[in-house]
């Protein structure tokens, strides 16, 4: 079907870290080749679109954050459509397709997208295209790419049906308004032939949507000794194939250096998710021995002069910078070492072909270059394929250019996953691996996502320690790998460890005359409330807590709070409390050992069950190594608390290697104690989750 003019569809995205926006932009860029035009908006910009009156098809790309919440940018939208007074036919006029992004490492996979999808269906909206659910655990592109490929034909069918419906309505209106008694001539709608034309047209557009590149001009002869693929080297068949690479994204940002001076924006201006508080770190304690495999720190913050309020079980976020050495290295490679402290003005490039282009909200209009690279851009982010495609144009060496093309192509999808995604390769690693790549500053701002604040569980009770906020973390270590030959620490945990080093290891240079630290260390934080991971409202309800390693953090806040409530309300009835804790070595990384003993002695904690996975035992029957093994030893007690006494079960910590194992153990316990099959036990566990009595705060 020939298209005389661009046909519009509404494209909405809801993003937390930039993934959904990048995919929406890819859809918008491809639309033109299919004779379509995307009217793209962030879902939070509700003043720029109106679903109540929308006639054209709607495409929604939405991510999931936290333990299954819609992204922050979708909160107002979700609240609006969840209004219980809305009638079931509220959106009967609406036709939409939805692409959800998630990570199957987490319990509520793609729940942000599922929540919106389910509610739109309840309000009468209709799918014109099947919902796609992309899994970041295995690679979003495995679902995203084919979903976008199929979108165009579905959109054209939807637009065609819409046009035919409008034409029919026009005919009916014309007939009803006519005084003629002659019956109207009704033209038969030959929809099948129209759809066939659409298929032919779509295939032609798809071939022009990607660029196929022949390899005649590139020397593909690899040294005989180098037969294994790597980040910088490919092998057949990838090295000998014509490639389908993404459309080159249009540049839309212009960066101008300025001679003027001034001050950088305050960090609070970079945070849109909540009120930011700058608070001093008053204490830092290393909880693990020096020879422990992981180093765990506990920091205490003074929030007495703020209006920061939290409950045990809540989380909060720390605003952190990129590593200073990495920023300097990036400036050096880009040839901008002398310009780091120069002010730059960031604005939209005149004449850009990018529709609706605007300066990213996390980039200040005016600041120093170093400020942008330190506080605004996630320079550790894994580069997306669109970024790789843009870097191809900045690379002069033919072999390096070819390899970047392969890594962003469909033919090189497995190489991308293996050597970039799974290896945690970042932009700086690419610049080291492909030295002829010399990108401009505007590409960094266009393609690197916002530097995200890092989330931590509260490990204290304001009732127990008024005016204090404590949290626990391991210093994250990324060992070197073939694609990334240098080791790194976590962006935030590495920074925090360096920041509080004077508190951990005070010496005569950092102490004043009173023996106290002479300088105050401050960090910026903002609240991230947890709507479900809280103590039961009724203190008589029993609870079981599973928190190996730093997963114990929120349960320390639970126990501190419970102890204080017991002291203040001696007439209250308190349910029994269980804690299952595990670590590698009893004498190296048994976190909060003394505190837990005190909780046991004063009755706040009823049962403490611990295990040590790396300690040897002289016993004939080896003790259990992991918390899921210990839980199985107390099957009857677990079943009693969950089923008979309607208690609560909490899990905090690593999902893949612990939480899933605990869930399996609980399913086995339910199956055994109720004398039912495993499927029925899984349904019971699902019911407990629905009742918010089986709660998880996990990470991958």
């Amino acid at each position: 079907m020939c298209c005389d003019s661009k046909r519009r569809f509404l494209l909405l995205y809801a993003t937390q870290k930039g993934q959904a926006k990048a995919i929406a932009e890819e859809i918008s860029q491809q639309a033109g080749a299919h004779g379509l035009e995307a009217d793209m908006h962030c879902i939070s910009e509700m003043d720029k679109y109106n679903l109540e009156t929308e006639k054209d098809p709607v495409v929604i790309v939405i991510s999931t954050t936290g333990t299954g919440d819609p992204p922050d940018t979708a909160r107002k939208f979700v609240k609006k459509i969840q209004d219980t007074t809305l009638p079931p036919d509220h959106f009967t006029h609406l036709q939409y397709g939805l692409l959800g992004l998630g990570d199957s490492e987490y319990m509520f996979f793609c729940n942000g997208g599922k929540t919106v999808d389910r509610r739109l269906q309840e309000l009468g909206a209709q799918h014109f295209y099947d919902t796609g659910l992309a899994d970041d655990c295995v690679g979003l592109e495995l679902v995203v790419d084919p979903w976008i490929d199929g979108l165009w034909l579905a959109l054209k069918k939807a637009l065609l049906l819409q046009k035919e419906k409008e034409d029919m309505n026009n005919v009916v209106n014309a007939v009803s308004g006519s005084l003629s008694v002659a019956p109207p001539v009704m033209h038969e709608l030959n929809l099948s032939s129209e759809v066939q034309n659409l298929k032919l047209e779509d295939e032609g557009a798809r071939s022009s949507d990607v660029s196929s590149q022949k390899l005649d001009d590139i020397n593909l002869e690899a040294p005989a000794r180098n037969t294994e693929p790597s980040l910088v080297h490919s092998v057949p068949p990838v090295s000998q194939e014509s490639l389908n690479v993404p459309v080159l994204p249009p540049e839309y940002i212009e960066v101008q250096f300025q001679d003027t001076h001034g001050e950088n924006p305050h960090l609070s201006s970079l945070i849109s998710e909540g009120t930011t508080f700058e608070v001093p770190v008053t204490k830092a304690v290393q909880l693990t021995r020096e020879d422990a495999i992981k180093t765990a720190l506990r920091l205490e913050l003074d929030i007495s002069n703020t209006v920061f309020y939290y409950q045990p079980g809540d989380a909060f976020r720390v605003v952190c910078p990129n590593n200073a050495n990495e920023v300097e290295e990036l400036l050096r490679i880009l040839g901008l070492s002398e310009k780091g402290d120069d002010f730059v003005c960031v604005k939209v490039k005149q004449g850009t072909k990018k529709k609706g282009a605007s300066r990213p909200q996390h980039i200040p209009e005016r600041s120093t270059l170093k400020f942008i690279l330190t506080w605004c851009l996630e320079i550790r982010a894994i580069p997306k394929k669109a970024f790789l495609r843009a870097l191809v144009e900045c690379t002069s060496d033919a072999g390096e250019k070819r390899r970047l093309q392969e890594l962003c192509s469909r033919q090189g999808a497995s190489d991308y996953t293996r050597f970039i995604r799974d290896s945690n390769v970042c932009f700086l690693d690419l610049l080291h691996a492909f030295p002829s790549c010399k990108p401009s500053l505007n590409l960094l701002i266009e393609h690197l996502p916002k530097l995200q604040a890092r989330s931590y569980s509260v490990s204290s009770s304001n009732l127990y320690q008024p005016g204090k906020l404590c949290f626990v973390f391991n210093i994250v270590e990324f060992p070197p790998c073939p694609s990334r030959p240098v080791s790194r620490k976590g962006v935030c945990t590495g920074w925090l460890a360096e920041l509080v080093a004077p508190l951990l290891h005070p010496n005569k240079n950092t102490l004043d005359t009173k023996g106290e630290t002479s300088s105050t260390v401050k960090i910026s934080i903002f609240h991230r409330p947890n709507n479900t991971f809280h103590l039961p409202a009724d203190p008589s309800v029993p609870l079981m807590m599973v928190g190996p390693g730093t997963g114990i953090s929120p349960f320390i806040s639970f126990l501190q709070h419970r102890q204080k409530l017991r002291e203040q309300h001696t007439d209250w009835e308190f349910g029994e409390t269980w804690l299952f804790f595990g670590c590698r070595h009893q004498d190296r990384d048994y976190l909060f050992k003394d505190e837990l003993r005190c909780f046991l002695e004063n009755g706040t904690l009823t049962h403490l069950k611990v295990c040590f996975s790396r300690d040897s035992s002289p016993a004939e029957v080896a003790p259990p190594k992991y918390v899921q093994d210990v839980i199985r030893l107390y099957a009857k007690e677990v079943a009693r608390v969950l089923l008979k006494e309607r208690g609560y079960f909490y899990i905090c910590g690593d999902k893949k290697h612990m939480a899933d194992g605990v869930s399996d153990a609980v399913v086995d316990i339910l199956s055994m104690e109720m004398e039912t099959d495993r499927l029925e036990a899984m349904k019971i566990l699902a019911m407990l989750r629905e009742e918010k009595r089986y709660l998880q705060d996990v990470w991958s």
Side-chain angles (χ1 to χ4, degrees):
M1 175 180 172
C2 232
C3 183
D4 296 324
S5 61
K6 301 264 185 182
R7 288 166 290 178
R8 174 192 177 273
F9 66 96
L10 179 62
L11 175 58
L12 302 177
Y13 66 87
T15 191
Q16 186 71 25
K17 296 184 178 180
Q19 292 270 36
K21 182 180 180 183
I23 292 169
E25 288 176 338
E26 175 71 15
I27 292 172
S28 179
Q29 289 161 14
Q30 290 189 26
H34 297 270
L36 302 172
E37 184 169 16
D39 182 11
M40 188 175 83
H41 303 287
C42 178
I43 207 165
S44 63
E45 299 174 318
M46 289 187 283
D47 58 325
K48 296 182 180 179
Y49 66 91
N50 187 355
L51 293 189
E52 277 78 6
T53 59
E54 184 59 58
K55 295 181 180 180
D56 293 331
V58 180
V59 176
I60 302 172
V61 184
I62 177 171
S63 62
T64 296
T65 189
T67 55
D69 299 322
D72 293 337
T73 53
R75 284 189 176 186
K76 289 183 180 178
F77 175 84
V78 171
K79 184 178 180 181
K80 182 178 180 181
I81 64 173
Q82 286 182 335
D83 182 351
T84 55
T85 64
L86 295 177
D89 61 349
H90 187 70
F91 283 138
T92 51
H93 62 283
L94 197 66
Q95 48 180 343
Y96 74 100
L98 184 142
L99 176 62
L101 312 180
D103 188 333
S104 58
E105 286 289 310
Y106 293 88
M107 181 169 61
F108 297 106
F109 171 61
C110 278
N111 198 55
K114 289 177 180 177
T115 298
V116 171
D117 195 19
R118 182 169 55 248
R119 185 55 179 157
L120 290 178
Q121 291 282 298
E122 291 171 353
L123 295 175
Q126 301 293 318
H127 287 128
F128 76 83
Y129 187 40
D130 290 340
T131 295
L133 300 176
D135 186 0
D136 198 31
C137 181
V138 296
L140 294 174
E141 65 275 3
L142 296 181
V143 169
V144 171
D145 289 348
W147 192 87
I148 293 177
D149 285 346
L151 174 64
W152 309 116
L153 182 59
L155 267 172
K156 290 174 183 179
K157 284 183 181 180
L159 286 163
L160 176 62
L161 289 170
Q162 174 189 309
K163 183 177 183 298
E164 299 290 3
K165 184 177 179 181
E166 290 174 355
D167 290 347
M168 181 75 84
N169 289 337
N170 290 338
V171 170
V172 171
N173 291 336
V175 170
S176 62
S178 173
L179 297 178
S180 170
V181 294
V185 179
M186 302 297 288
H187 297 284
E188 185 177 339
L189 305 179
N190 191 352
L191 185 58
S192 62
S193 63
E194 295 281 13
V195 170
Q196 184 61 37
N197 286 338
L198 282 179
K199 289 181 178 177
L200 294 173
E201 175 193 309
D202 190 60
E203 287 171 3
R206 192 179 303 170
S207 65
S208 65
D209 179 46
V210 293
S211 55
S212 296
Q213 190 167 18
K214 297 297 182 182
L215 312 181
D216 301 339
D217 58 340
I218 298 178
N219 180 12
L220 299 176
E221 291 298 323
R225 58 183 173 80
N226 199 357
T227 58
E228 289 296 320
S230 67
L231 175 63
V232 297
H233 173 73
S234 62
V235 298
V238 174
S239 63
Q240 296 176 348
E241 287 182 315
S242 294
L243 303 175
N244 298 106
V245 299
V247 175
L248 180 64
E251 295 185 9
Y252 68 97
I253 288 295
E254 184 177 354
V255 182
Q256 296 178 341
F257 282 92
Q258 298 183 323
D259 295 330
T260 56
H261 299 281
E263 292 186 355
N264 282 310
H266 193 272
L267 292 182
S268 60
S269 67
L270 304 177
I271 305 300
S272 58
E273 297 96 324
T275 305
T276 306
F277 301 95
E278 188 178 30
V279 295
V281 182
T282 51
K283 186 185 292 185
V285 179
Q286 182 170 321
L287 301 178
T288 50
R289 224 167 64 176
E290 289 296 336
D291 57 350
I293 293 176
K294 293 183 178 180
T295 301
L297 303 182
R298 183 175 194 250
L299 304 192
E300 178 187 274
L301 309 179
D302 183 356
I303 59 170
S304 59
N305 294 323
T306 73
V307 291
F308 190 100
Y309 172 76
Y310 68 90
Q311 297 182 61
D314 275 351
F316 69 100
R317 291 188 175 179
V318 176
V319 182
C320 60
N322 287 307
N323 180 275
N325 292 332
E326 291 174 28
V327 171
E328 293 293 344
E329 177 70 359
L330 188 54
L331 287 169
R332 184 191 67 77
I333 293 177
L334 295 174
L336 297 170
S337 295
E338 305 301 319
K339 291 184 173 290
D341 294 321
D342 289 0
F343 273 76
V344 294
C345 178
V346 179
K347 57 185 180 181
V348 175
K349 187 176 185 178
Q350 285 190 339
T352 179
K353 294 181 180 179
K354 180 181 174 67
K355 295 187 180 297
S358 62
R359 175 174 50 83
Q361 292 182 351
H362 57 277
I363 302 295
E365 185 175 4
R366 185 178 176 278
S367 66
T368 62
L369 175 56
K370 192 176 289 186
F371 181 86
I372 292 175
L373 295 179
T374 301
W375 294 100
C376 304
L377 296 175
E378 187 91 57
I379 64 175
R380 286 269 194 94
I382 296 172
K384 297 182 178 65
K385 291 185 178 182
F387 194 10
L388 297 182
R389 177 66 186 89
L391 292 177
V392 168
E393 305 305 309
C394 312
T395 305
S396 56
D397 180 84
E400 293 179 10
K401 184 187 288 276
R402 164 70 192 193
R403 185 54 176 153
L404 286 171
Q405 289 171 329
E406 291 169 351
L407 290 168
C408 71
S409 71
R410 293 192 181 179
Q411 290 76 9
S414 61
D415 279 6
Y416 174 85
T417 299
R418 178 180 175 186
F419 300 117
I420 293 184
R421 188 177 176 277
D422 292 349
S423 299
N424 281 307
V425 163
C426 68
F427 176 56
L428 191 56
D429 299 322
L430 287 181
L431 293 181
H432 283 299
F434 301 94
S436 75
C437 181
K438 303 294 181 184
S440 57
L441 277 177
N442 65 290
L443 283 187
L444 276 65
I445 294 173
E446 290 169 5
H447 290 278
L448 289 175
K450 175 184 178 181
L451 177 57
Q452 296 287 328
R454 271 41 176 185
S455 184
Y456 295 95
S457 298
V458 167
S459 184
S460 56
S461 163
N462 203 31
L463 201 62
Y464 187 91
Q465 293 177 280
K468 302 295 183 183
L469 171 66
C470 298
F471 66 106
V472 177
F473 61 89
N474 283 325
I475 302 174
V476 178
E477 302 271 358
F478 297 101
C481 65
S483 295
R484 180 179 40 77
V486 295
S487 62
R488 290 198 180 105
K489 289 183 168 62
V491 172
C492 191
T493 60
W495 171 68
L496 286 172
E498 187 176 333
L499 198 67
V500 302
L503 295 174
L504 287 170
H505 311 290
N507 56 50
K508 62 182 180 180
N509 295 323
T510 61
L511 298 179
D512 59 19
T513 55
K514 296 180 181 180
E516 298 177 351
T517 53
S518 55
S519 60
T520 302
V521 174
K522 291 187 176 182
I523 63 174
S524 293
I525 63 172
F526 60 95
H527 197 205
R528 176 72 176 174
N530 192 318
N531 295 325
T532 58
F533 203 83
H534 292 146
L535 284 164
D538 181 356
S540 67
V541 173
L543 56 112
M544 289 182 155
M545 303 169 286
V546 184
T550 56
I552 196 176
S553 182
F555 303 133
I556 294 298
S557 73
F558 280 15
L559 293 168
Q560 286 184 354
H561 200 73
R562 269 286 171 93
Q563 177 176 322
K564 211 62 186 174
L565 288 176
R566 287 166 58 88
E567 293 172 1
Q568 294 176 350
H569 304 280
T570 55
D571 57 331
W572 284 12
E573 179 186 349
F574 290 89
E576 61 181 314
T577 54
W578 291 69
L579 175 64
F580 296 90
F581 174 78
C583 61
R584 290 178 175 83
H585 300 282
Q586 182 174 6
D587 58 349
R588 299 184 198 177
D589 51 7
Y590 188 166
L591 309 185
F592 297 103
K593 182 179 180 179
D594 295 337
E595 290 88 338
L596 293 176
R597 186 185 297 113
C598 290
F599 287 133
L600 268 177
E601 290 173 354
N602 65 34
T604 302
L605 183 59
T606 317
H607 305 279
L608 174 63
K609 308 301 175 184
V610 298
C611 56
F612 311 101
S613 62
R614 305 287 175 88
D615 282 345
S616 58
S617 171
E620 289 185 11
V621 179
K625 286 188 173 185
Y626 304 107
V627 286
Q628 53 264 45
D629 303 324
V630 180
I631 289 168
R632 292 178 188 274
L633 299 179
Y634 297 89
K636 291 189 180 299
E637 289 82 356
V638 171
R640 170 178 58 81
V641 167
L642 284 177
L643 302 176
K644 292 183 180 179
E645 301 177 8
R646 296 188 58 78
Y648 282 58
F649 198 96
Y650 300 87
I651 305 173
C652 183
D654 176 77
K655 180 185 188 302
K656 189 173 184 179
H657 300 106
M658 183 276 296
D660 288 348
V662 171
S663 294
D664 287 341
V666 171
V667 168
D668 289 343
I669 288 170
L670 295 174
S671 175
M672 179 176 63
E673 295 300 319
M674 297 186 68
E675 298 182 348
T676 185
D677 60 34
R678 186 172 175 82
L679 180 60
E680 190 62 31
M682 291 173 71
K683 290 180 181 178
I684 295 170
L685 182 60
M687 179 193 69
L688 293 173
R689 284 176 169 147
E690 190 70 24
E691 293 175 355
K692 303 291 190 293
R693 292 197 294 118
Y694 188 94
L695 299 162
Q696 292 185 320
D697 181 5
V698 297
W699 55 83
S700 58

